[in-house]
Amino acid sequence: MWGIIILIILIFFFGILYLRYRARNKALENMYGHIPTHVELYFTEYFDDIVDNWDLIDKKRANEWTEGMKSRLSSVSNEIQGLKKKSASIDKEFDTLENRIKTMEKDASNEEII
């Protein structure tokens, strides 16, 4: 008698587990178009947390960073070109000053000789 009751309970229990398993697989297939593996479900669920915890960035943020870096490099490059032009101008002024100083030194040494 007890054996039959236990057998009925076990059949009922495994029947419920089977129906839950089938319903779960049907819901997953409707959601994803196929029955995903445990790994697919894990990454679908926790991908954002993995990216945050490992300090990873997604493709969109990488592209945004790249575009921002390109504009910064462009502005720095323009500043460098401007500084090169100013440097050339300053070099010309120093050359002019050196020539004047040499001329003044020559004049001063010629005056001392006379």
Side-chain angles (χ1 to χ4, degrees):
M1 175 81 170
W2 283 104
I4 295 174
I5 294 174
I6 291 175
L7 182 62
I8 292 173
I9 291 173
L10 285 175
I11 291 173
F12 183 70
F13 177 74
F14 284 114
I16 290 174
L17 283 179
Y18 175 74
L19 291 175
R20 283 191 66 211
Y21 175 77
R22 242 178 83 191
R24 178 182 176 267
N25 283 347
K26 190 173 182 178
L28 288 172
E29 191 169 353
N30 288 339
M31 186 181 295
Y32 295 104
H34 67 285
I35 298 173
T37 64
H38 176 72
V39 174
E40 288 176 290
L41 291 174
Y42 178 83
F43 279 106
T44 301
E45 179 73 24
Y46 295 107
F47 186 75
D48 292 335
D49 293 335
I50 291 169
V51 168
D52 289 339
N53 291 335
W54 289 16
D55 291 331
L56 302 174
I57 59 173
D58 58 2
K59 196 170 194 172
K60 179 184 172 193
R61 291 172 103 188
N63 288 337
E64 288 173 0
W65 181 86
T66 303
E67 291 303 318
M69 188 57 66
K70 283 180 184 177
S71 65
R72 282 185 242 142
L73 287 174
S74 176
S75 67
V76 168
S77 177
N78 290 338
E79 287 180 27
I80 289 173
Q81 293 301 322
L83 291 173
K84 283 183 180 179
K85 289 178 183 176
K86 287 181 182 178
S87 174
S89 172
I90 290 172
D91 286 343
K92 286 180 185 177
E93 288 180 24
F94 276 130
D95 288 341
T96 304
L97 284 173
E98 282 181 3
N99 290 336
R100 283 185 180 174
I101 290 171
K102 285 179 184 177
T103 304
M104 291 173 79
E105 287 175 345
K106 283 181 185 177
D107 288 345
S109 66
N110 285 340
E111 286 179 5
E112 289 176 6
I113 296 175
I114 298 182

